[in-house]
Amino acid sequence: MANLEVEFCGLRFNNPVLPAAGPPGWNGAALRRCAEGGAGGLVSKTLSVQGARVPTPNMAFVRNAFLNTELWSEMSPRQWVLREFVIARKTGLPLIVSLGYSAEDIATLAPMVAPFADAVELSTHYIGDDPQPMVDAIQAAKAALDVPVLVKLSPFRDVAVAARAAQDAGVDGIVAVNSFGPVMSIDVESGVPVMGSENGYGWLSGPAIRPLAVRCIFDIARAVDVPVMGVGGVSRGEDAIELMMAGASVVQVCTAAILKGPSVYGVIAAEIDAWLDEHGYASPGDICGLALRRLQGREVRYAHLPPEYDGQACIGCGRCEQSCVYQAIQVVEKKAILSPERCHGCGLCVTRCPTRALTLSW
Ligand SMILES: Cc1cc2nc3c(=O)[nH]c(=O)nc-3n(C[C@H](O)[C@H](O)[C@H](O)COP(=O)(O)O)c2cc1C
């Protein structure tokens, strides 16, 4: 068995799968359920100086996309301090308290949450493109707290620029990414946008944003030396592995836990364990940033190189033939026959093949 324990900015997590700020940790009891579901640590819903007024409806699952128009916590900081954090702390897991948004807000909130927070995570979701308000918020948190200060970046800005500014401001770690948007989805039966916000806008999360999260994590990990927590579209162990290979040491999960319940944390952790074991790695640290190392010195290829084919592994499902626009593959008697002279080396068939009968060499 791999050793799943991870250290992040001095915090020790039993495993590298945490809830992301949002409904999975909307109050103390929900955070306790995350702990019972196998999370390695806890992250609470973002709170600010005043409880948010959140429009309804504010969450929707629409054919592989998840939209929300939640804001920050509807509860006051007082309620969090008097009740919710007390419950969360009883789990014994490290607690990261998510705070928003301006330097003034953080200066007010920091002393209130200090007795409960093992670290704070500052959301930058609503503070615009200029990195300065984020820098000011980081400095306010650093001045008021002795615990690690993390900053969470949104994927619709230049994350490398923001990450460098955060590092220069003294941040201890970066969390990437928040949900993407604004986006919109319309219920075609009624013609009404599914989100109850004024303009019908919402924010996208879940599997649809995973490639965006992977790219952002990759860019941040290349830009700074502080550690990165990855978040965006993780719903199984392999997704978490992907974010780690991009440079994350720990992952957070929100949408999958909303859809499947808090037991996903333990399930994903067990899947990471099994994957590491099968692939001969001793710990998540072994794969952190692997893609950055693999890409070093790689030359861009222009040759129309056909994939390699393993007839034993082929189940003749025909997906490769179906999606080969160059007509370079034909499935005959449950086996794929490749025509290398027609192949453009696009690689799509490799990603369509469910059994790795088709592979590309690098
Ligand atoms: C309903 C909902 C509410 C959210 N609320 C917050 C929040 O309060 N603070 C925050 O930093 N991120 C919030 N997020 C963003 C998530 O923490 C996470 O960054 C994003 O959803 C991507 O991860 P996922 O694909 O695992 O959901 C929220 C996401 C959803 C879906």
Side-chain angles (χ1 to χ4, degrees):
M1 284 222 332
N3 176 9
L4 286 192
E5 259 185 30
V6 284
E7 192 262 326
F8 189 96
C9 294
L11 306 180
R12 295 206 78 78
F13 301 115
N14 301 334
N15 72 62
V17 189
L18 274 53
W26 76 273
N27 70 2
L31 285 163
R32 186 175 56 213
R33 287 194 290 277
C34 293
E36 289 162 359
L42 300 176
V43 183
S44 54
K45 169 86 185 164
T46 305
L47 68 106
S48 195
V49 282
Q50 270 173 356
R53 262 189 91 211
V54 183
T56 56
N58 50 49
M59 285 197 255
F61 177 69
V62 283
R63 265 198 300 146
N64 299 324
F66 193 95
L67 274 75
N68 87 87
T69 186
E70 273 199 359
L71 297 162
W72 55 97
S73 174
E74 291 171 278
M75 289 188 290
S76 68
R78 195 176 137 78
Q79 162 103 21
W80 275 98
V81 165
L82 287 181
R83 192 182 137 83
E84 313 309 330
F85 289 143
V86 179
I87 298 171
R89 292 245 31 126
K90 284 194 184 139
T91 63
L93 295 184
L95 173 64
I96 301 174
V97 172
S98 171
L99 299 176
Y101 290 87
S102 68
E104 294 72 36
D105 297 340
I106 305 304
T108 306
L109 294 166
M112 298 176 76
V113 305
F116 308 98
D118 294 303
V120 294
E121 177 185 295
L122 309 180
S123 171
T124 58
H125 209 56
Y126 302 113
I127 62 175
D129 285 330
D130 177 5
Q132 195 56 45
M134 172 196 72
V135 165
D136 295 343
I138 293 168
Q139 286 169 347
K142 290 295 289 180
L145 294 163
D146 292 331
V147 293
V149 174
L150 318 179
V151 73
K152 182 169 178 184
L153 302 180
S154 297
F156 41 86
R157 304 200 180 102
D158 190 331
V159 288
V161 168
R164 273 193 290 264
Q167 179 170 266
D168 292 345
V171 90
D172 297 287
I174 292 180
V175 182
V177 290
N178 212 310
S179 44
F180 174 78
V183 296
M184 189 186 240
S185 182
I186 295 167
D187 169 33
V188 294
E189 291 306 318
S190 63
V192 176
V194 297
M195 291 288 99
S197 50
E198 195 182 345
N199 44 23
Y201 290 0
W203 301 94
L204 189 65
S205 63
I209 68 160
R210 198 174 63 253
L212 178 62
V214 169
R215 194 272 298 165
C216 289
I217 294 163
F218 183 83
D219 280 354
I220 294 164
R222 278 203 294 196
V224 294
D225 300 320
V226 293
V228 183
M229 278 200 192
V231 51
V234 172
S235 53
R236 54 191 190 133
E238 273 188 32
D239 302 338
I241 298 281
E242 191 183 358
L243 268 60
M244 289 171 171
M245 287 185 172
S249 337
V250 169
V251 298
Q252 299 182 352
V253 179
C254 183
T255 300
I258 297 172
L259 294 173
K260 298 183 193 164
S263 60
V264 289
Y265 297 112
V267 171
I268 294 171
E271 287 170 353
I272 294 173
D273 192 6
W275 193 96
L276 291 173
D277 238 20
E278 271 167 37
H279 292 77
Y281 294 107
S283 72
D286 293 352
I287 54 157
C288 179
L290 186 66
L292 284 91
R293 299 193 286 281
R294 289 271 199 266
L295 207 61
Q296 256 166 22
R298 187 174 89 169
E299 281 184 20
V300 177
R301 175 161 85 193
Y302 298 98
H304 291 189
L305 221 61
E308 277 153 38
Y309 177 63
D310 174 0
Q312 295 286 320
C314 180
I315 53 169
C317 68
R319 285 179 209 172
C320 52
E321 178 180 346
Q322 242 169 30
S323 49
C324 182
V325 294
Y326 304 109
Q327 297 187 299
I329 307 183
Q330 245 193 318
V331 176
V332 180
E333 288 172 6
K334 293 259 172 209
K335 294 291 161 203
I337 298 167
L338 275 75
S339 307
E341 69 288 354
R342 290 188 176 180
C343 177
H344 282 231
C346 75
L348 177 61
C349 57
V350 171
T351 59
R352 295 280 285 140
C353 177
T355 60
R356 292 184 86 86
L358 293 165
T359 48
L360 277 179
S361 60
W362 278 104

